[in-house]
Structure formats: structure tokens, C-alpha cells
Amino acid sequence: MTSPLFRPGAALLLAAAGCAAPLAAQAGAEHPRDLAVRAVERTAPIALDGRLDEAAWASPAPATGFTQQDPREGRPATQRTEVRFAYDAEALYVGARMYDSLGAAGVRTRLVRRDQDPESDWLQLVFDTFHDHSGRTLFQVNPSGVRYDAGQATPSADPSWDPVWEAATAVDSLGWTAELRIPFSQLRFSRDVEQTWGVQVWRYVQRLNETSMWSFWGKNEAGGPARFGHLEGIRVERRPRGLEVLPYTVARASYVAPTQPGSPFQDAAAYNLRAGADVRALLGSSVTLSATLNPDFGQVEVDPATVNLSAFETFFEERRPFFVEGSGLFSFGGLSCFTCSNANGMSLFYSRRIGRRPQGGFPGQPAYWDVPESTDILGAAKLTGRFRSGWQVGVLNAVTGREEAGLVYGDGAPGIRREVEPLSNYFVGRVRRTMRGGDAIVGGMVTSVARSFAYDSLARQLPEHAEAAGVDWTLTWAKRAYELRGNFAVSQASGDPAAILRLQRSSARYFQRPDRGAGSNGLFSDRLDTLATSLRGYGGYLRLARQAGLWQWEGQVNFRSPGFEVNDLAFLSRADWIWLQGNLRRRWTTPNSLYRFFQVTAGAQREQNYDGDVTDGQVHLSTYLQLPNYWETSLYMHARPEMDADRFTRGGAVVRKVPELYLSPSLNTDPRRKVVVSTNPWAEWTEDGARSYRVNLDLRVKPVSNVSASFGPAFTHDENTSQYVGRWSDPTATHFLGDRVVFSDLEQNTLSLDTRLAVTFTPTLSLELFAQPFVSSGEYAGFKEYAAPRTMRRTAYDADQLRAVRDAAGRDSVYLLDPDRDPATPGFSFGNPDFNLRSLRGNAVLRWEYRPGSTLFLVWQQNRSGGERFGDFRFGRDATGVFRTHPDNVFVVKATYWIGR
């Protein structure tokens, strides 16, 4: 999206910056080269109070003449805006006057935490500091002085960037005013003394839902830095040193109920104190070195509760500040589509792999064990740079320490230590170059993980080395109406044959599948080899699209070879697939009495594995409609035919999955109101009678300008007639290639309530509360197996084949299975898989930026979790059961102090 089309929010803020996205519209004429504003050297003091009454603001000529992009595209802005620029040896100053025809009564403002959606009037400045028509550095402020920033000098305007800068605002009888002071030490730009930057200025007037811009482009045009105006006249005689030190101290108190009664490793209370520092230094004019000593990677936000019954890992977002900041540069291989599902972009770097919970196992079943929650990060450093030639460079290296688990194998037995995570080095290198005024971007990335094992047992579980390398590109032409983007990567993991065999047999590829094709044993691996000491593979993506104009289209191919493996430093759910997709879209952007914006997208997709089995396919339709009252509604639906399922049996033969129909509408009310309601339910029907649905409601209430509360109840009912239970080798199962794979019907009910309360006292002081009660139950019944490979037909076990053993409470605890009804042949047993899980996760975070760049955090986290071995769902019993679970409490006090020069 190259312009704000829908509503203010995080996405709109980046859209206003001119960031590329699939909804970019057709390009118009290049912007006039003479649209410029001049910065004047400051000769008088500027008191940063938000009032433009200093003599220094009398000299600069203002940027004026703003044009609406919404709601009346191309017409002059209804409210006058004047923006002036000044500078001195240390910083750039911005003075802005936002007139309002209603005076102070017309100004809409709210107090929120920095970098949050302001849901108010705002002024935004976007700089192309290298003036290469591609980079963006964004600063924004609202009438309450709430700051938002993103950058820096990157095509995507990374919102994780948090520079140290100041802003002050004031509301008066003419509207509102703002003063900004942006130190040159926080910016990256060329070595020239005389500076010329690209600049775009946006203003949003909430009561009118009016978005206006200084250098105009239309909603059906491709904008961005190539269409910016110019900021001239800045002289930088002396480069800033750009040295920043951020020492920190953390005090932590944990009150956690022991999970192993009598364990010598667990205490009901634990206390610790630690200190460290982050260092950031400017090397030369545009290269930054960031390092961390004894880093604190504790999270002040908690991951949401989930129940994962699949064979694949759950993805959680990175929240640790060191890795979040500047993460945009290290991104690689994103997926872009108008409408698609079950699609995965290329991933070569997932920072949560660094410092994760130790992966190694230990023999037998100890009576007590103590495994660290995370791996200690001994040190980490990043080197990032952005050059006038268009090159961006990023290098990250981290070293994690060796971790051991404490084990006791019997009462009174001496404890032993066993290595569960080796000493490891993680390396990421990234280069990217912007050319042809932003019409071409090419890049490359390499990653490496090297481990040093102290015990052979761990070397048999994890690869000793894992490397990956890739290239990516984006090409646009015809004034950016057309785009060709793609990437290609290769991977290699090497180590002990047992570790490589684990990778081959993992859920990402299932090389052990008995009906798998012969494959090859050449450069890239795609079949089971018990003696292999390496695993190699490749993956890629290619998309060709017309992403501008009223009619748009796209076609793309995405693939991962069976041997592709990058999970040591990236996120890969599965390999062995080739995905094809195409879409056609029509947009109506001229408002009328029925709508403000309307679009329809239709398309299809298909997926197969490298054996030629068609494992996914669908036709789909989606619509989006913005009504005249700024409500939004959408509808998505798809239909899937009968297809192959190469993952259902988790390493067994391919079976067939039943046709399905999926439908999901949504509705969002006007976000400017004090009460905002949204919902996005869905329903799914399968041919064999399974019915699943989800109903939810997101209610946001803004009673006063500095308080916001949201309530998000959701209930999901899932029915599955082919839920995997277990797989065993069985010579009597000749109908299924020697495997006995048990499935069942599953009825799962999940109830959650996401609750948030945010109170912002000042732009630098805020309190946020979060709580998520969560209950999920699953009841298994109708145990069965497939009658043969590559069929949908299933055979249910009768009473002679399957017998339940009850526990003292009268519940089924163990199932005994004799599928051939022959006492002479071995049978099988498995535990009752029914579950009833309950949790309550919450935290309270007080943030105070007590001086620029320095922050105090007071954090309280509470977690209640438990479960029962029954699968029925009862609202009263399960909801109150959440609060009967023993709470675990963690209290954290963290203080940082920014030192910069």
C-alpha cells in the first residue's frame, strides 16, 4: 500500500511513509523536481515547548499546499498546514503549525504509549536521507506529544527502530503546533557537507478522516521516495560521534510452585540480580556497531496460550529488544499475495532460536530433573550500515553457553549433570542493494550455526554445523506498476549420522514414509540414508504481478526441496512441497453513496510434494468493502476437493483427505469512535460430516483520552474425523505397508478472553495490563484406521479389537488394541488422549521514560496452568477451574540509563 486507504493505525502509519505493499496502485507521472523546502541554520535559541514563538522560526519558508488523498482525492486539504525546518551543528529542528477551522475544538488527540496507534490527529515526516529514492526514516507526533518512529534509511521503514529524539506540542485557538528536535547522531546520511534529502509530510485530521500530503500522489499511483519533495540547505560540517551506552540493572523475584514435589532442584521462591550494558557506536558516517554485554533477554510481554495437536512447531513473535531493533534489515524472503492460505514465506533467520530452551534429551526417566528455561547468551553483536551507493550491510553474531541439566534417578541416589545444550555460535550476514531509484533491490544472506559438544550423546541429537545461503530480488517497471520478486536459498546440516537421521525422520520431511519415491542421493538429499552425515536442500520463490491500477493480477511459485533444513537458525515447519498460486483483483476507489472503497479478489492455488502427490488445492474468493460511515466488512471463502495427505500418518503412507468448504466474514466499526467493535468468525464444513466454527468479538472502549480497554472473548469448536493418535510397526498390517496408524474423531472446544487495559499518564509514563483466561478441552472417540493407503475409507475398531482400562475414578486411562484379534500376535496400548487444559496468563507493565532514552520498568507476571484427563467441556466448571489453579508470580524491576554523545 503506498497511501493511507483505510483507517489510521500501525499499518496506515507505514502506508503513509510510502512503504511498498501488495495494494500499491498504478503509477502516475513523476513528481515535479522543483517541489522543495529549505532548512535554515538556527541563529536564535529554540525552547522545545511546542510553541512557535521563537525568532528562529521567522526565517524558514514553510512547506505548504497540501493535497488530500482521502476522502476527496486530489483536492486541496481543507485544513492549512505549515512545516518549517531549521538546523544547527547537532540536530534538525521541525516547527509545524496545523491550523483547524474549529480551533482547539476541532483537534482530536489521545495519550498512548510511544509507537502505538495514536487514533487521533497526527503529523508525520518521512526522510530519504541518502536521497537515493528508496530509503525511509519516519518521525510522527500527535497533539498530545505521542511519538512514533520507524527507519532508518531502509525501504521498509522498520518500526522496531527507537532513536533518541524529542517532541513537544501545544493546542491553541488556531489548532495545534509541534516542535521536533532530531539529533544528527540518530540519523544516517551521506558524507557530504551540503545535504539534500527527500522528504514527504503527511497530516491526518481525525474528525474529518482526512489524510493530506505535501508531495501528492493518488491512491491509484505508486508513490514512495521517488515521489518525495526535497529538503535542501542543511550543512553538516562535523560528523556526530554517535556513541551510546545503555547500562541496565534487573532485579527479579520468582514465586513458583514446584512441579516436582520433593525435588532438590526447585524452590518456592528465587531471587536474582544482574547487570549489563548495550553499546552502540557509529563507525564512519553510516555504519553502526551494536553490542551487548551480559544481556538481559527477559520479556516483559507473555506469549499467548495455545494448544498444538499437530506435528509442527508453534511460531511465536520475537519480543526481546536487542533482536527486535533493526530486525527489518535481517528479514529475508517474505511472501506477498493478494489472497492465499497455507502459504509459507522463505525463512533464513528466526532470532528466537538464539537463547531458546535447551534441546537435548537425557536417558531414561529420572525421578527429578532441572532443565534451564533458556540458554544463556554470553554475548551478541550487530554491525549494520546503509551507504549512499545503495548498499545495506548487516552482520549479527551471538555466542550461547553450554547448559547442563541436573538429574536424580532415584530416591537417595546421587545427582548427575548432563549436557542438554552445547556451546554454540550463531552468525547471520546480510547485504542488500537498492538501484535504479528504488526500482531494483537485490540482496543476499548467509547464516551459520556451529556447536561444540562436550558429550557424544548430545552430538547424536543435534547437527554440529548448519549453514544456509540465499539471494533475493525485487524488480519493478512501468512506473512500478509491475513487479517481479523472488528468492532462492540452499541449506546444509552436517554432523553425526544419528543427528542427521533425526532430521530425515522429522515432521518437516518424513523420509521414512514407506511409499515414498525412490528419490536421489546426489547433491541434494531427498530419501532416507541412515549413514548420511549431511542433509542438503534448496528452496525458492518467484512472483510476477501487476500491483497497480483498477485491475491487478499475480502469479507465483513457491517450493522447498525435501532436504531443505534451516531450523537451527530459522523457522521451517515443513519441506518437500511445490506451491502454485494465481489471483485476479478488481478495485473500485472512487467513493459513492454505497461505499468508499471496494475490491474483489478471486483465484486458485495448488500444492504437491516432490513425489507428485497433490497435497493441497483450492479456489477462493475474497471481498473488502469500506462503507460511507467508515465501517469495514469483508468476506473470504474457499473450497477444497479431495486430495492426498502425506503428513496425516506422521511418517506412514499417504492417505486421502476429504473435501471442505470454508467461510469467514468480518465486520469492523469506525475506529474513531469511543466504542469500537470488530468480529471475524469462521465456519468450516467437510464432506464426512465434521463441522467446525469460531465466534469472537473484539470490543475496544476509550472512555477518556488516556485510557483504552479491550475485551476479546472467543469460542472455537473444532471437529476432526482424522485426528492422529499413534503409529506402530506391525507386520500383520499388510494392508497398510506394515504400519499400524490409529486415528480417532476429536471434538475440541476452546474458550479464551484476551483482556487489555492501557492507561497513559504522560507521553513517557504508561501502565498496561493484560490477562488471558484460556480453557481447551479435547474428547477422542471412534478410534479407527485407514483401510488402505491413498483412500479416504476408514475402519472403526470394534469391542473385540479395542478395550478400555479404567482408573480408580472410573475414567478410561489406557486403551488396549488387538487389531487382528489374535492373542498370539503382539498388541498395542496407548493412554487416553482426552485433555482439559486451563491457564491464566497475565502481566502488568509500568514503563517510565524518565529521561530521553532511559527507562524504568516495573513488571508483574502471573501464570496459572493445569489440566485434567477428561475431554468434555463445561463452561462453569472449566472457567472457574482456571482461578482455582495455583498462581506462579514473577516480579521484575529493570532500569536503563542512556548515555550518548
Side-chain angles (χ1 to χ4, degrees):
M1 189 186 302
T2 58
S3 60
L5 292 179
F6 306 129
R7 59 179 181 176
L12 185 148
L13 302 181
L14 294 182
C19 300
L23 289 181
Q26 73 180 22
E30 294 297 327
H31 85 290
R33 304 297 296 175
D34 58 353
L35 185 60
V37 62
R38 191 167 188 84
V40 174
E41 185 173 6
R42 180 178 67 83
T43 57
I46 295 179
L48 210 69
D49 57 6
R51 304 185 182 278
L52 308 181
D53 51 7
E54 296 90 354
W57 293 122
S59 299
T64 59
F66 282 58
T67 305
Q68 292 185 59
Q69 195 181 69
D70 244 349
R72 297 175 178 85
E73 180 181 354
R75 296 187 184 182
T78 63
Q79 312 299 311
R80 180 174 171 81
T81 304
E82 297 179 351
V83 182
R84 294 173 169 85
F85 297 89
Y87 71 95
D88 58 21
E90 303 293 333
L92 174 70
Y93 296 83
V94 181
R97 157 66 70 180
M98 280 64 67
Y99 291 93
D100 195 293
S101 57
L102 299 182
V107 177
R108 301 290 184 265
T109 189
R110 287 187 58 79
L111 264 177
V112 298
R113 183 167 61 88
R114 177 179 178 176
D115 288 344
Q116 301 298 301
D117 181 354
E119 297 187 315
S120 68
D121 295 358
W122 46 256
L123 178 79
Q124 182 185 100
L125 299 105
V126 191
F127 298 106
D128 174 14
T129 55
F130 284 88
H131 203 209
D132 61 0
H133 307 298
S134 67
R136 298 169 176 86
T137 303
L138 183 153
F139 297 91
Q140 178 180 288
V141 66
N142 84 338
S144 294
V146 175
R147 292 169 295 156
Y148 180 96
D149 40 58
Q152 72 151 310
T154 60
S156 58
D158 182 2
S160 67
W161 179 58
D162 281 326
V164 178
W165 61 288
E166 299 174 84
T169 58
V171 178
D172 58 24
S173 61
L174 299 178
W176 66 287
T177 54
E179 288 182 312
L180 284 65
R181 182 182 185 275
I182 306 170
F184 288 131
S185 64
Q186 302 298 298
L187 301 173
R188 302 295 174 261
F189 44 87
S190 71
R191 294 175 178 269
D192 298 340
V193 173
E194 297 279 353
Q195 295 284 321
T196 297
W197 297 351
V199 63
Q200 176 65 292
V201 186
W202 295 81
R203 180 184 175 185
Y204 179 67
V205 182
Q206 192 200 43
R207 68 180 172 87
L208 303 175
N209 225 337
E210 178 179 303
T211 304
S212 59
M213 56 202 300
W214 178 53
S215 182
F216 176 75
W217 62 75
K219 290 185 287 186
N220 283 334
E221 297 178 339
R227 305 286 299 278
F228 283 10
H230 299 101
L231 175 60
E232 301 172 341
I234 300 175
R235 291 181 58 86
V236 183
E237 302 280 357
R238 179 177 57 86
R239 304 294 303 184
R241 293 185 180 183
L243 176 63
E244 302 175 33
V245 181
L246 191 72
Y248 79 87
T249 57
V250 175
R252 177 185 175 101
S254 302
Y255 304 93
V256 178
T259 58
Q260 306 168 46
S263 170
F265 303 117
Q266 295 184 331
D267 295 318
Y271 310 92
N272 63 66
L273 178 69
R274 63 185 296 164
D278 293 339
V279 180
R280 185 181 295 111
L282 181 63
L283 308 179
S285 63
S286 56
V287 178
T288 303
L289 174 65
S290 302
T292 181
L293 308 174
N294 192 29
D296 170 49
F297 290 107
Q299 294 179 206
V300 297
E301 298 182 61
V302 296
D303 292 322
T306 62
V307 175
N308 186 348
L309 300 180
S310 74
F312 308 113
E313 178 184 6
T314 300
F315 179 89
F316 292 110
E317 292 184 357
E318 177 62 87
R319 302 180 188 272
R320 299 171 297 179
F322 177 81
F323 291 114
V324 169
E325 183 177 358
S327 58
L329 175 57
F330 293 96
S331 64
F332 180 93
L335 182 78
S336 177
C337 63
F338 299 155
T339 298
C340 56
S341 60
N342 289 346
N344 297 283
M346 175 71 73
S347 171
L348 292 187
F349 178 47
Y350 177 46
S351 55
R352 285 187 68 145
R353 298 299 188 211
I354 303 174
R356 63 181 164 185
R357 185 178 179 87
Q359 306 169 75
F362 35 80
Q365 180 58 48
Y368 306 108
W369 61 92
D370 178 33
V371 179
E373 293 184 0
S374 60
T375 303
D376 190 26
I377 300 177
L378 303 180
K382 289 187 293 187
L383 189 69
T384 57
R386 173 75 166 78
F387 303 97
R388 186 176 185 178
S389 62
W391 282 104
Q392 289 178 269
V393 178
V395 176
L396 183 149
N397 199 84
V399 179
T400 60
R402 178 174 286 111
E403 298 291 345
E404 294 184 338
L407 307 173
V408 174
Y409 279 91
D411 292 338
I416 63 173
R417 307 291 296 178
R418 177 61 64 95
E419 183 185 33
V420 289
E421 186 71 26
L423 178 69
S424 304
N425 187 85
Y426 298 86
F427 173 84
V428 183
R430 178 71 159 126
V431 294
R432 185 162 54 198
R433 187 182 184 189
T434 303
M435 302 175 292
R436 295 170 49 200
D439 284 338
I441 302 174
V442 297
M445 191 170 194
V446 294
T447 67
S448 172
V449 178
R451 297 183 172 102
S452 175
F453 299 103
Y455 297 95
D456 291 341
S457 60
L458 194 57
R460 290 192 289 270
Q461 300 177 52
L462 302 175
E464 184 176 5
H465 291 276
E467 297 85 23
V471 294
D472 60 344
W473 61 89
T474 302
L475 305 174
T476 62
W477 64 93
K479 298 178 181 178
R480 304 191 182 184
Y482 295 90
E483 180 188 79
L484 176 67
R485 70 163 57 198
N487 55 70
F488 183 80
V490 294
S491 68
Q492 172 175 281
S494 57
D496 188 273
I500 303 305
L501 183 61
R502 286 167 62 97
L503 296 180
Q504 296 179 73
R505 299 176 65 90
S506 74
S507 60
R509 51 194 57 83
Y510 290 134
F511 278 8
Q512 72 273 28
R513 206 179 70 221
D515 57 350
R516 191 178 184 86
S520 67
N521 198 24
L523 178 62
F524 298 109
S525 315
D526 61 1
R527 65 185 178 90
L528 191 68
D529 183 352
T530 59
L531 301 179
T533 57
S534 65
L535 182 68
R536 301 184 184 95
Y538 61 88
Y541 170 68
L542 187 68
R543 175 181 185 256
L544 176 64
R546 176 179 171 82
Q547 56 175 25
L550 298 179
W551 284 98
Q552 302 175 8
W553 52 263
E554 66 179 353
Q556 50 193 322
V557 58
N558 200 6
F559 55 92
R560 306 289 183 271
S561 80
F564 190 70
E565 171 58 36
V566 291
N567 264 316
D568 290 277
L569 194 48
F571 189 91
L572 177 74
S573 294
R574 56 193 184 93
D576 188 15
W577 50 268
I578 303 170
W579 181 81
L580 302 169
Q581 189 252 19
N583 278 316
L584 178 65
R585 165 176 287 173
R586 177 63 165 94
R587 308 170 78 220
W588 291 265
T589 60
T590 302
N592 59 33
S593 60
L594 298 178
Y595 59 80
R596 302 196 56 79
F597 179 86
F598 180 51
Q599 72 179 24
V600 177
T601 305
Q605 65 186 50
R606 181 182 189 272
E607 182 179 293
Q608 69 177 56
N609 61 24
Y610 274 64
D611 282 344
D613 303 314
V614 179
T615 55
D616 193 11
Q618 68 180 43
V619 292
H620 52 252
L621 175 72
S622 67
T623 66
Y624 170 84
L625 178 69
Q626 185 182 53
L627 300 171
N629 63 356
Y630 294 98
W631 285 32
E632 300 170 1
T633 181
S634 69
L635 175 66
Y636 170 80
M637 62 179 68
H638 71 236
R640 292 177 176 159
E642 178 184 338
M643 290 173 293
D644 295 317
D646 61 348
R647 313 288 170 135
F648 271 23
T649 57
R650 303 194 185 184
V654 172
V655 293
R656 300 282 285 177
K657 49 187 172 182
V658 297
E660 70 174 41
L661 177 65
Y662 178 91
L663 181 68
S664 178
S666 74
L667 177 68
N668 303 280
T669 63
D670 187 345
R672 298 174 298 166
R673 306 305 179 190
K674 286 192 173 183
V675 177
V676 183
V677 180
S678 64
T679 181
N680 59 325
W682 58 260
E684 182 181 83
W685 302 265
T686 60
E687 192 177 81
D688 59 356
R691 303 291 183 263
S692 302
Y693 61 87
R694 177 180 186 264
V695 291
N696 76 305
L697 184 70
D698 183 18
L699 175 65
R700 289 192 298 131
V701 181
K702 298 169 281 186
V704 292
S705 63
N706 69 324
V707 177
S708 175
S710 67
F711 308 91
F715 178 76
T716 304
H717 174 81
D718 268 317
E719 295 180 8
N720 186 351
T721 59
S722 297
Q723 176 61 44
Y724 175 86
V725 176
R727 182 172 67 90
W728 298 269
S729 178
D730 183 0
T732 69
T734 56
H735 67 292
F736 213 74
L737 306 181
D739 272 343
R740 185 71 63 181
V741 189
V742 177
F743 293 86
S744 81
D745 296 335
L746 170 63
E747 181 178 309
Q748 183 178 354
N749 295 286
T750 302
L751 177 66
S752 65
L753 174 61
D754 290 358
T755 306
R756 297 181 185 273
L757 174 65
V759 182
T760 308
F761 304 102
T762 72
T764 58
L765 178 63
S766 64
L767 173 66
E768 291 185 320
L769 306 175
F770 168 76
Q772 185 202 40
F774 178 90
V775 177
S776 185
S777 68
E779 188 168 20
Y780 291 72
F783 295 94
K784 67 191 78 173
E785 63 182 50
Y786 278 84
R790 303 184 183 277
T791 181
M792 287 193 304
R793 188 164 59 88
R794 288 152 289 182
T795 304
Y797 297 126
D798 59 29
D800 293 332
Q801 294 173 297
L802 185 67
R803 181 170 60 89
V805 178
R806 295 182 176 270
D807 59 16
R811 299 193 184 104
D812 295 345
S813 61
V814 176
Y815 289 97
L816 303 179
L817 176 63
D818 184 12
D820 62 355
R821 300 182 180 86
D822 186 354
T825 60
F828 310 95
S829 65
F830 56 91
N832 184 358
D834 289 353
F835 62 87
N836 188 291
L837 303 178
R838 308 159 182 172
S839 76
L840 173 60
R841 298 187 179 196
N843 64 0
V845 181
L846 179 71
R847 293 176 176 87
W848 177 32
E849 188 176 350
Y850 57 92
R851 62 187 298 270
S854 305
T855 309
L856 175 69
F857 295 91
L858 303 179
V859 182
W860 169 38
Q861 294 182 350
Q862 185 178 103
N863 182 35
R864 300 169 183 254
S865 61
E868 300 287 349
R869 276 297 177 187
F870 49 78
D872 62 315
F873 179 82
R874 298 180 189 173
F875 176 80
R877 178 198 64 192
D878 297 338
T880 57
V882 169
F883 298 94
R884 291 196 299 267
T885 307
H886 184 277
D888 295 332
N889 291 287
V890 177
F891 299 91
V892 178
V893 178
K894 178 178 180 178
T896 65
Y897 188 85
W898 182 79
I899 304 169
R901 55 181 303 177

